[in-house]
Amino acid sequence: SWPGSSGSIASADQIKNISIAIHSQGGLAIAVCDLLACILLTPPATLGFDIAVGSAQRFGVPMGGGGPHAAFLATSNSQARALPGRLVGVSTDTGGRPALRLALQTREQHIRREKATSNICTAQALLANIASFYAVWHGREGLERIAERVHRLTSICVAGLRSSNIEVANTTWFDTIVVRVKSSAEVHQRALAHNILFRNIDATSVGISFDETSNLELIEKLFDIFEINESVAQLDESCELGVTQAMRRNDDFLTQSTFSKYRTEHEMLRYLRRLADKDLALDRTMIPLGSCTMKLNATTEMIPITWPEFANIHPFAPATDVAGYTQLVEELSAMLIEITGYDAISLQPNAGSQGELAGLLAIRAYHLSRNEAQRVICLIPSSAHGTNAASAVMAGMAVVVVACDDRGNVDLIDLRTKCELAGNKLAALMITYPSTHGVFEQKVTDICELVHSHGGQVYVDGANLNALVGVAQPGHFGADVSHLNLHKTFCIPHGGGGPGVGPVGVKKHLAEFLPSHPLSTHDEKRVGAVAAAPNGSASILPISWVYIKLMGAQGLRSATMHAILSANYIASRLDAFYPVLYRGEGGFVAHECILDIREITKITGVTNDDIAKRLMDFGFHAPTMSFPVSGTFMVEPTESETLAEINRFCNAMIAIHAEIQQIATGVISHDESPLHNAPHTVEDLCAPWIHKYSQQQAAYPISAMLGRGYFAPVSRIDAAFGDRNLVCSCEPLESYAISLQ
Ligand SMILES: Cc1ncc(COP(=O)(O)O)c(C=O)c1O
């Protein structure tokens, strides 16, 4: 990595030799690098590296006690398709307009179990956007100014220390140095008097880092701490720099005009507004995405994350500085333990999928501690989310799929057979409860007992906890481990794909195997860290804390009841139009329901894609599509939607069904129908009208739509083209230009 943890920077030749040596053995070279340093230094790709990774926190994101922060993983085109998660693909819509879309979707929810290599689902999309906008705002020149300034302040500090015969270990540096002292304890003590924390390396070394908030006043304070009697202004004139000319980059970068156009606050604001206008977010409409729990993110819950007391805390600050965070973590943990019925919880995982990995690693460590290393088989029902299988593979387990019955429940006969076949190799069963089919499995306790009787552990995926809070506890009905998604049930906004928090809760016998951290004092039985900071994305924990405190026990139970009631209301209103695929034994669904579109497709050719796009013309975001069953919608209203909004959605679905009927009865063909041409953009509506239905039907299909504020920015996108054309670097702006013809 460069700069390394000490701040030293290897020479370009040394680094090049590393990549040459690795390539000569057939390997690939990975560089861990700092984004701000990359502004000045020759970048990893130029030095022959295949992959670069690092954190984008540096670009305008507060420390936040450890997160959320976006990481980046960059690679050359040759490795692009091996990247985990989803990438953006550039495609065109039916009007020939350029359109961006998320490509390679099949890696995530729909991933083929045996192909699972990455469990990334919720990531850090919002934080990636924040970091990008830091670059958009500053542009290349601004970033260079910031990097030069940080580097210069570090160099002044080095010059001051050296002129006072204090040893600086580095011969090269960008923003970080290691200083050798007689007694670190003494130096830390003096620094504390100035409200400064140095990195505690060992008894005779301290680390100092600078960033864009550092200034000459800070240098004066440092000189005071180290008793340096030099003029900062004079050193500024004469100091030697830590980055030599030979190390500097001399290529062009951030050349797209986006990085130079928005230099006034007004223009930047308008640019952000224009981008936000393309979004169909919760501030315009309900987002009925099943398994996502898109609920209200109340302002009161959000306010505390703006407080500097949460935002500006370093994740490794001493315990004496973080009493508030400690209390928050303890109280939130205790509340989540009470809600789930588990005995211990770790807030470290940054997403549900990371919680899965942490939970499965705990199960693996548990079996190892009992000398049962052979227990590696993880049973997963066919309806499970793709991340379940991927996490199991990442935790070193082998995935065996268990069938589901006609009602969407785990097929008990198949489960029994697979448990017997697995024998003493059975490590775990991973189920989702209520299931991803949207039903409460009546036999969940029997399932847990069966797996336990074969020596396996039960992992209950808690993504659907919105149907359980206050009414049932996985820790009590037989599960050993669950992750929760605080970004679903506990109100952290989804951020367009993250940040998330995926706490992992366990029963007592697994507590000692929860994630650890190099800085924590827990015993070594714990598995390693699953995130860089001890409490993961600490700064967004206040959102869930406030939510639970505001709701109280009664409020939480009532929310669950309302979520279930709303889903059942939708199921009963829409069943006659789109049959509800699965119901529990009493005929009810849980907090979401699956609407079957397959018969409609068979008869009319109308696909769930057509209905999803037509819903945009009605001002709605589509429900979850083809998960867990292909050719279906999974609808989850949550407790935060009013009856009026739920009715608005049902009315839209029923109106769309009437349009489908027109195709079924031969009034209009599928190709000529508004469904096939949806969504209709403003440009489509203004162009000479060529369709068999009216402009009014296209734009304002029901009277309730009059005054609608949202029009899709592009129409149907060519998906295959988008999968073929991944966006791995910025397109020149001209390629986005729209032809007025
Ligand atoms: C059932 C289920 N399990 C696991 C996950 C993964 O959670 P995350 O996206 O937070 O990684 C999801 C996410 O949507 C899910 O629906």
Side-chain angles (χ1 to χ4, degrees):
S1 83
W2 81 94
S5 143
S6 69
S8 292
I9 312 163
S11 77
D13 282 345
Q14 279 172 317
I15 296 171
K16 254 189 211 152
N17 288 339
I18 294 172
S19 66
I20 291 167
I22 288 167
H23 288 150
S24 73
Q25 298 300 316
L28 296 178
I30 304 175
V32 182
C33 51
D34 170 41
L35 271 190
L36 196 63
C38 283
I39 300 295
L40 296 190
L41 301 174
T42 310
T46 312
L47 295 171
F49 279 74
D50 307 279
I51 295 168
V53 298
S55 166
Q57 182 272 328
R58 193 95 216 221
F59 275 21
V61 182
M63 280 286 180
H69 306 142
F72 61 86
L73 166 54
T75 180
S76 51
N77 275 334
S78 58
Q79 307 298 325
R81 279 168 199 278
L83 282 170
R86 298 229 220 140
L87 304 175
V88 173
V90 65
S91 189
T92 53
D93 74 353
T94 45
R97 291 166 285 240
L100 302 175
R101 64 181 279 285
L102 282 182
L104 307 180
Q105 245 214 68
T106 44
R107 291 144 176 266
E108 195 193 78
Q109 267 165 332
H110 312 282
I111 199 159
R112 293 214 340 249
R113 309 284 179 259
E114 64 281 11
K115 296 252 173 181
T117 51
S118 134
N119 71 344
I120 292 179
C121 182
T122 290
Q124 302 282 7
L126 179 71
L127 284 306
N129 276 333
I130 292 173
S132 313
F133 282 112
Y134 184 82
V136 168
W137 173 250
H138 291 290
R140 175 183 169 167
E141 302 75 31
L143 291 173
E144 278 177 343
R145 239 183 346 262
I146 293 168
E148 294 287 8
R149 191 170 160 279
V150 169
H151 174 224
R152 184 150 208 98
L153 287 171
T154 317
S155 302
I156 296 171
C157 183
V158 171
L161 289 161
R162 286 195 172 145
S163 66
S164 294
N165 294 324
I166 298 169
E167 187 189 342
V168 176
N170 308 54
T171 51
T172 52
W173 59 86
F174 166 60
D175 66 349
T176 296
I177 51 172
V178 172
V179 186
R180 305 264 187 245
V181 292
K182 275 202 202 85
S183 157
S184 298
E186 223 172 84
V187 172
H188 288 306
Q189 202 55 41
R190 283 206 301 270
L192 218 48
H194 288 280
N195 237 347
I196 290 174
L197 291 171
F198 292 140
R199 179 174 169 204
N200 188 13
I201 296 178
D202 58 36
T204 54
S205 328
V206 296
I208 307 179
S209 292
F210 296 83
D211 67 14
E212 75 276 22
T213 63
S214 309
N215 53 22
L216 289 176
E217 210 180 301
L218 174 72
I219 303 282
E220 303 275 9
K221 284 185 190 168
L222 295 179
F223 282 12
D224 199 30
I225 293 164
F226 288 100
E227 296 170 327
I228 300 168
N229 288 317
E230 295 289 335
S231 146
V232 171
Q234 259 171 26
L235 289 175
D236 189 12
E237 300 280 298
S238 60
C239 65
E240 178 199 344
L241 296 176
V243 174
T244 62
Q245 209 51 43
M247 294 171 174
R248 286 183 174 253
R249 72 184 298 165
N250 50 21
D251 56 338
D252 260 356
F253 60 101
L254 300 184
T255 51
Q256 200 199 39
S257 59
T258 309
F259 296 104
S260 54
K261 265 169 94 172
Y262 307 109
R263 293 294 159 74
T264 69
E265 206 168 327
H266 232 152
E267 285 305 326
M268 184 71 174
L269 187 75
R270 288 170 186 152
Y271 175 51
L272 292 170
R273 172 80 262 168
R274 283 199 298 280
L275 291 177
D277 281 345
K278 296 184 185 201
D279 263 4
L280 195 44
L282 269 176
D283 56 354
R284 292 182 194 270
T285 168
M286 96 189 234
I287 300 196
L289 279 173
S291 204
C292 282
T293 314
M294 300 291 291
K295 60 160 74 171
L296 172 73
N297 318 115
T299 307
T300 313
E301 293 152 14
M302 301 297 296
I303 291 284
I305 66 170
T306 65
W307 296 343
E309 290 84 351
F310 285 121
N312 295 341
I313 296 284
H314 194 285
F316 306 150
T320 44
D321 280 18
V322 289
Y325 256 127
T326 307
Q327 186 179 340
L328 177 92
V329 165
E330 279 170 8
E331 289 185 10
L332 182 60
S333 300
M335 293 189 291
L336 294 175
I337 283 174
E338 204 181 332
I339 287 168
T340 55
Y342 285 112
D343 298 311
I345 202 156
S346 163
L347 302 181
Q348 198 181 94
N350 280 322
S353 44
Q354 264 195 35
E356 289 170 22
L357 177 64
L360 291 167
L361 287 174
I363 291 177
R364 183 88 193 108
Y366 169 75
H367 289 314
L368 287 172
S369 76
R370 292 157 52 93
N371 294 324
E372 294 200 296
Q374 82 288 352
R375 289 197 177 271
V376 291
I377 290 180
C378 186
L379 302 178
I380 300 185
S382 55
S383 63
H385 196 269
T387 52
N388 286 187
S391 300
V393 172
M394 288 174 73
M397 297 186 185
V399 174
V400 172
V401 176
V402 180
C404 289
D405 66 19
D406 293 346
R407 303 184 85 99
N409 295 320
V410 171
D411 181 334
L412 271 178
I413 298 172
D414 193 45
L415 177 63
R416 188 161 291 119
T417 310
K418 300 272 164 72
C419 281
E420 279 160 13
L421 283 174
N424 73 351
K425 292 203 180 123
L426 181 64
L429 166 76
M430 267 185 118
I431 49 168
T432 305
Y433 187 79
S435 75
T436 50
H437 286 150
V439 289
F440 289 105
E441 308 225 14
Q442 304 252 312
K443 298 265 168 9
V444 70
T445 310
D446 300 344
I447 291 172
C448 296
E449 280 171 12
L450 177 63
V451 172
H452 285 147
S453 71
H454 286 85
Q457 296 285 292
V458 178
Y459 188 112
V460 165
D461 180 323
N464 290 346
L465 209 74
N466 218 49
L468 292 188
V469 176
V471 292
Q473 296 165 297
H476 279 181
F477 59 67
D480 303 288
V481 195
S482 288
H483 76 262
L484 322 179
N485 299 61
L486 298 192
H487 45 296
K488 298 185 178 183
T489 318
F490 297 97
C491 293
I492 292 175
H494 280 61
V501 178
V504 57
V506 293
K507 296 296 284 181
K508 206 182 285 149
H509 62 285
L510 294 176
E512 58 188 338
F513 306 112
L514 280 172
S516 174
H517 194 274
L519 288 187
S520 74
T521 48
H522 291 122
D523 73 53
E524 73 262 7
K525 269 198 197 148
R526 290 195 159 212
V527 296
V530 295
N535 291 309
S537 291
S539 70
I540 49 178
L541 297 176
I543 303 171
S544 300
W545 184 96
V546 174
Y547 171 68
I548 299 174
K549 288 279 186 194
L550 285 177
M551 296 291 278
Q554 275 312 321
L556 290 173
R557 182 174 294 126
S558 154
T560 305
M561 307 285 209
H562 277 89
I564 296 173
L565 180 64
S566 300
N568 278 283
Y569 178 78
I570 290 180
S572 82
R573 261 205 86 185
L574 294 184
D575 186 48
F577 305 94
Y578 309 93
V580 173
L581 188 56
Y582 298 114
R583 293 175 186 274
E585 279 171 25
F588 293 107
V589 299
H591 65 313
E592 58 194 6
C593 59
I594 296 183
L595 305 178
D596 198 346
I597 315 294
R598 291 172 298 182
E599 198 57 22
I600 290 179
T601 308
K602 214 182 329 163
I603 296 169
T604 63
V606 173
T607 61
N608 60 352
D609 226 21
D610 293 333
I611 301 175
K613 303 301 174 195
R614 187 65 176 138
L615 271 172
M616 292 174 91
D617 286 337
F618 283 78
F620 283 103
H621 194 288
T624 295
M625 291 164 62
S626 289
F627 171 76
V629 182
S630 177
T632 64
F633 278 141
M634 182 157 58
V635 181
E636 180 182 3
T638 84
E639 72 282 6
S640 350
E641 297 306 340
T642 59
L643 184 57
E645 180 68 357
I646 290 174
N647 273 332
R648 206 169 70 84
F649 173 72
C650 290
N651 293 342
M653 289 294 284
I654 292 168
I656 290 173
H657 190 267
E659 292 181 345
I660 297 171
Q661 282 312 104
Q662 293 205 314
I663 300 170
T665 54
V667 175
I668 196 165
S669 73
H670 174 224
D671 283 3
E672 291 168 329
S673 72
L675 279 143
H676 182 73
N677 296 311
H680 296 85
T681 65
V682 171
E683 275 171 69
D684 294 341
L685 294 163
C686 295
W689 196 245
I690 48 165
H691 301 297
K692 288 211 167 145
Y693 50 92
S694 69
Q695 270 144 305
Q696 177 161 10
Q697 191 185 347
Y700 297 107
I702 49 176
S703 58
M705 297 301 303
L706 285 170
R708 76 183 252 206
Y710 181 79
F711 287 87
V714 290
S715 58
R716 204 73 68 93
I717 302 175
D718 183 340
F721 190 88
D723 276 348
R724 281 197 304 275
N725 293 281
L726 303 180
V727 178
C728 297
S729 54
C730 291
E731 293 282 304
L733 201 71
E734 301 72 60
S735 70
Y736 295 88
I738 290 168
S739 156
L740 285 178
Q741 262 86 59

